[in-house]
Each structure stands twice: as structure tokens, then as C-alpha cells.
Amino acid sequence: MNQKSSVHCRICDTPIEAFMSFGRMPIANGFLTAEEVSEEYFFELAPAFCGNCGMFQLIEQPQPDKMFHGHYAFYSSTSRFMQLHFENFANSVMKDVLAGRADPFVVELGSNDGIMLRHFNDRGIRHLGIEPSVNVADVARRHGIHTISSFFSPALAEDIVAEHGKADAILAANVMCHIADLRGIAAGVQRLLKPDGVLIFEDPYLGDMIAKTSYDQIYDEHVFIFSASSVKRAFDPYDLELADVMPQITHGGSMRYLLAPKGSRPASPRVHAQLEKERSQGLQEAETYLRFRQNCEASRARLMQTLEELRAQDKRVVGYGATSKSTTVTNYCGVTPAHVEFISDTTPIKQGKLSPGAHIPVRPYIEFTRQYPDYALLFAWNHAAEIRDKEKAFVAAGGKWIVYVPEVKVFS
Ligand SMILES: [Zn+2]
């Protein structure tokens, strides 16, 4: 599967080729022990843009069992910010879609630990979560959220219809962009949705990534980075049309898409406006991606120049947040433990391990506060506002931040 020799668009089968390569890349969330280093898995991280359907995608994606291995555990509910985000998401679905419907049924793809479905459960709304990670699904079930541990497919959609009936709303957050077989998902959605049902999903947004040169959105799990125009075209063969778009600030810039069976609801004027905006941003043109590549190269050169200068001055630099995104940055740029002493992270499962590929030690957050470094490299840049607010004492002690999105900058 996904051999380099058969490089065709995952949506429309047009031959495609990579416009750049980020080089040999490990699994973004593959934090590992020193003993595991010799067996570390690498693949080539290279994105392509399909000139026919406009889909931004990875040429090669590792097998799912390499990415979601046994100790993979990302529990959505560990972030207060994300809890609030999903509460708002759930409330908007109840108000804008479900209100007035008799006994509605909601399905969420990739429902994680139930961070969103719990709000439907609390109101007694019929719901079903589909979560392939067994350990994560178990957490949801313990909280009383109906969850099945499976991958969504047209066959599973048929089973759900047989048991529960068709869905009023199918939801997904940061899930669709992970699934290489998006066409299978779309076919399943088509079967599961009521004639007046809606599919609502959100994912990191291509327009933001291009505008901010936030190339760290590109890693193994994100096989697609969507735009309104690519989503519109990808779902069209399944009789689903784009009826609304709602920009989100999550993950450094995301977009929420609402799709519905063709002709079932009028499209919001926001759809037309977003498509126009994407046209003027050049998201349909190959040159935009060559410019993006140049911007990535310039960002890499500037970051490494900064880190090399600090190293020459014997300054202590510590990474802040062992994010999946940071794996692309450290490996593409060539950041090593000689530049970054360790990465501070609050996730216990990552502590004591090494960062994928670059092998920078990950240490508990307390090590950051115990003896503040001279500089902190902010890998969790999408939470910059919250973090700067939390770390006032670091800056008061003379510490400085290094960021690289939208440009490499040092500030206090
Ligand atoms: Zn295509």
C-alpha cells in the first residue's frame, strides 16, 4: 500500500508528485526509549498538491500500525482549552441542527475519550462514538458514552443504520485529515446520513498553514490538509455538498465544514466568500506551493542560525511542549540535543523518553521551572497566548521565547 511507484491523488486518481521533501522522518508521536532507538521507523515526508482536485496530501503515509502503536495514547480531555472548544462545538450542533428534531441521533467519528459526545449524553441525546483506539474508547465507555472500537467504513455504516437508524448529524474533529481512504469515509457517511442530516467536521486549514508557513502541520498522521475547495470537490461524488464553513482558532488555524445531501439546505454565503478567498490566496496554483517550500527553507535557515548563535554563546535552550508537530521541525531543521538541552512536557507518558528522530530528552515540566533556561523554544506555538500568560515568571527571570510561526522571532 502507498508505494512510491503508484503516486496518484488519493481523491481523484490523477498522477501527482511531491513539490518538496521534509526528508527522512520518524513517526511524529513516536517518543521512544534509548533502547528503542536502533529500531526506530522512518519514512519520507513529502507533500503533493493535486492540480486537478486541489487536494494537499502526503505522497507516502506509514502503515497505521506504525502510527497508532500500543502505547499511543492521546486523550483529548487533558486540555482545558480543548474541553471548552468541544463543549461549544456540541452546543452549536444542538442549537443549529438538532433543535426541534424528534429523538435525534448523533454519530462521531474518532470520538476519542468522549470529550464532545459527553455533552450529548448529558442531555439524553442518542449518540454513538466510533473510536479505533481501544484504550481511549474504554475511557469514554467508563463515562457512559456509547462507543464502538472500530474503523468507520461503508459496511460499518450499514450496521449502524440497521441497529440505530440513520443519523441526524455525523461529527468529526481532527479525524478526517488522518484517514487516507477519505473516499471510503464519504461513502459511509452517504449511507448513514438522513436526507436532512449533516456532516460537520473540522481539521487544520490549508489557508492558515500557507499564510503562516506553519509547515509543522505536516506529519505522518495528517495525510491531508484541507481547504474549502478541496473538501467541496472530495465529497461531491457522494452527493454531499458544502453548505457552510466556520474558521476556528484551534491547532493554529482550523476550518469547520458543514456538508449536507445535495439540495437539502441552502449554502451559507460564507462558502462562496471562502472559495473566493482561497482563489485570491492562490491555493489552487502550483506556484503557491513552490513559494511555500521557499518559505519553509528560509524558516529553517533562520531557526538554525538562531540556535547556532545561542549555542556559540553557551546559552541554555529548552524546548517547550513535546508536540507531534515539533517532530517535523526538529528533524527537518536538524535541531539536536546540542541545540536544545531537553523538551519540557506535562504528559507523563512522554517524560523520560527521547523525541522522535532528533532524540532530545523529554523531561517533566518541573525541570523547566526548577532552573529556568535562557531561552525556551516554543513548540506548542498554537497555545502561545495561554503559555505566555502562564509563564510570566520565566520572562521575569530574564527568559526569552523563541518562536518560528509565522516567522522566527526571539522575544521576552
Ligand atoms: Zn486529485
Side-chain angles (χ1 to χ4, degrees), residues 31 317-323 326 340-347 350-351 360-370 372-373 376-380 387 390-391 401:
F31 293 87
V317 180
V318 164
Y320 194 102
T323 58
S326 70
V340 172
E341 190 179 310
F342 65 90
I343 304 172
S344 150
D345 199 279
T346 54
T347 316
K350 293 179 183 173
Q351 295 164 0
I360 301 167
V362 180
R363 299 206 185 128
Y365 172 68
I366 190 155
E367 305 235 352
F368 172 75
T369 54
R370 188 178 288 151
Y372 283 131
L377 177 54
L378 186 54
F379 288 125
I387 292 169
K390 179 181 169 191
E391 303 298 351
W401 293 104

Side-chain angles (χ1 to χ4, degrees), residues 96-126:
D96 302 333
V97 179
L98 304 184
R101 295 194 182 207
D103 192 25
F105 177 44
V106 176
V107 175
E108 185 182 357
L109 311 182
S111 50
N112 200 272
D113 55 9
I115 188 169
M116 179 142 65
L117 283 182
R118 72 178 58 163
H119 301 288
F120 297 95
N121 188 35
D122 288 349
R123 313 274 180 95
I125 293 170
R126 282 198 302 133

Side-chain angles (χ1 to χ4, degrees), residues 238-401:
Y238 303 90
D239 210 31
L240 293 162
E241 67 186 353
L242 185 60
D244 208 352
V245 288
M246 293 147 274
Q248 307 291 316
I249 58 164
T250 45
H251 297 287
S254 295
M255 187 66 75
R256 185 177 298 168
Y257 307 93
L258 185 149
L259 294 106
K262 281 179 189 167
S264 68
R265 62 164 59 207
S268 149
R270 283 193 287 258
V271 173
H272 180 72
Q274 196 67 36
L275 294 173
E276 278 303 311
K277 192 176 165 190
E278 293 183 355
R279 243 187 298 280
S280 57
Q281 199 188 347
L283 289 191
Q284 315 299 328
E285 287 149 39
E287 302 87 79
T288 300
Y289 300 94
L290 296 178
R291 209 158 43 238
F292 174 70
R293 173 191 178 152
Q294 289 166 357
N295 291 342
C296 290
E297 287 165 358
S299 174
R300 170 173 67 179
R302 180 83 182 87
L303 178 63
M304 291 317 292
Q305 186 196 346
T306 302
L307 293 177
E308 289 292 353
E309 281 170 12
L310 296 176
R311 181 184 174 183
Q313 295 163 26
D314 275 328
K315 298 292 187 191
R316 283 186 67 223
V317 180
V318 164
Y320 194 102
T323 58
S324 296
K325 295 200 295 280
S326 70
T327 297
T328 299
V329 176
T330 54
N331 287 276
Y332 171 62
C333 298
V335 179
T336 70
H339 302 106
V340 172
E341 190 179 310
F342 65 90
I343 304 172
S344 150
D345 199 279
T346 54
T347 316
I349 200 163
K350 293 179 183 173
Q351 295 164 0
K353 294 201 173 151
L354 300 172
S355 73
H359 304 154
I360 301 167
V362 180
R363 299 206 185 128
Y365 172 68
I366 190 155
E367 305 235 352
F368 172 75
T369 54
R370 188 178 288 151
Q371 193 192 355
Y372 283 131
D374 300 306
Y375 293 80
L377 177 54
L378 186 54
F379 288 125
W381 58 265
N382 47 314
H383 297 295
E386 276 175 280
I387 292 169
R388 288 178 68 181
D389 198 46
K390 179 181 169 191
E391 303 298 351
K392 285 184 181 137
F394 164 59
V395 172
K400 291 188 172 68
W401 293 104

Side-chain angles (χ1 to χ4, degrees), residues 50 78 161 200 228 347 375:
C50 175
T78 50
V161 172
I200 308 176
T347 316
Y375 293 80

